[in-house]
Amino acid sequence: MTAPTSSTPITIDVHLDDDWMETSIARDVREGLTASPKTLPPKWFYDKEGSDLFDQITRLDEYYPTEAEREILHREAANIAALTDADTFIELGSGTSDKTRTVLDAMTTTGQLRRFIPFDVSEATLREAAEMVAHEYPGVEVHAVVGDFEHHLDDIPAGGRRLIALFGGTIGNFDPAAR
């Protein structure tokens, strides 16, 4: 899918350079495969192909969590927007930002949305989603952050009245201590 060109400026901060990725995956594989039980952080599943595959999985009828979240968001997005009075929406693990649009729509309807900050480990997916959101919500600043939850949360831009979301599927990727 090709993202349309947007007239809204987009900022993308990339904190995962090739050296960081190489060092991190080597460490995570070494630690994970020598641990008992063996583990591998799910962040390594989400390169461009992995992100596309996960997006396809979430659209299957058999994969109910995404639809359940979508139903809750449709029902509660207006309340969320009103109760938070946020002008900045930050989504951790945003991926394609598909479910996000329900909250963005509610915040746009009230006139409060000024900035959207998607945060994800997959640079290619995040760039495409940022372009799509900027195109669909003209005038809303999009400031994407490519990073790792374990190392780059402090790099999320400050300012504004912020609403931070971590939708359910993402948190399930972490063991209890990391949550």
Side-chain angles (χ1 to χ4, degrees):
M1 174 187 330
T2 303
T5 304
S6 168
S7 60
T8 303
I10 299 170
T11 303
I12 301 178
D13 297 337
V14 180
H15 299 284
L16 304 180
D17 62 23
D18 289 340
D19 289 339
W20 185 90
M21 296 285 279
E22 213 172 285
T23 302
S24 294
I25 196 167
R27 181 191 63 241
D28 288 347
V29 168
R30 184 176 49 257
E31 289 174 6
L33 296 182
T34 58
S36 182
K38 307 225 178 298
T39 63
L40 187 61
K43 65 186 168 195
W44 301 115
F45 306 158
Y46 295 104
D47 60 3
K48 177 64 175 141
E49 291 80 18
S51 293
D52 288 344
L53 179 59
F54 182 70
D55 185 54
Q56 291 174 39
I57 290 168
T58 65
R59 296 174 193 283
L60 296 172
D61 290 338
E62 297 84 357
Y63 190 82
Y64 68 89
T66 297
E67 194 54 39
E69 280 183 322
R70 194 181 322 278
E71 287 175 22
I72 293 167
L73 288 172
H74 280 292
R75 186 177 64 241
E76 299 298 333
N79 290 331
I80 292 168
L83 290 170
T84 64
D85 194 34
D87 61 17
T88 299
F89 183 59
I90 301 168
E91 184 183 10
L92 304 177
S94 63
T96 61
S97 301
D98 182 51
K99 291 176 285 189
T100 308
R101 286 169 176 80
T102 305
V103 178
L104 296 176
D105 289 345
M107 293 174 74
T108 301
T109 298
T110 63
Q112 68 197 68
L113 183 63
R114 302 282 175 260
R115 182 170 57 156
F116 173 54
I117 303 173
F119 182 104
D120 203 90
V121 71
S122 174
E123 182 177 350
T125 301
L126 192 64
R127 285 183 179 279
E128 190 172 296
E131 282 286 339
M132 297 288 277
V133 169
H135 176 75
E136 292 171 27
Y137 299 88
V140 172
E141 176 189 350
V142 177
H143 190 149
V145 179
V146 180
D148 178 345
F149 289 138
E150 296 178 80
H151 303 281
H152 302 109
L153 290 179
D154 288 342
D155 295 313
I156 293 172
R161 291 179 315 277
R162 305 180 330 160
L163 169 61
I164 301 174
L166 176 63
F167 293 123
T170 301
I171 202 164
N173 287 338
F174 295 97
D175 63 38
R179 288 180 200 152

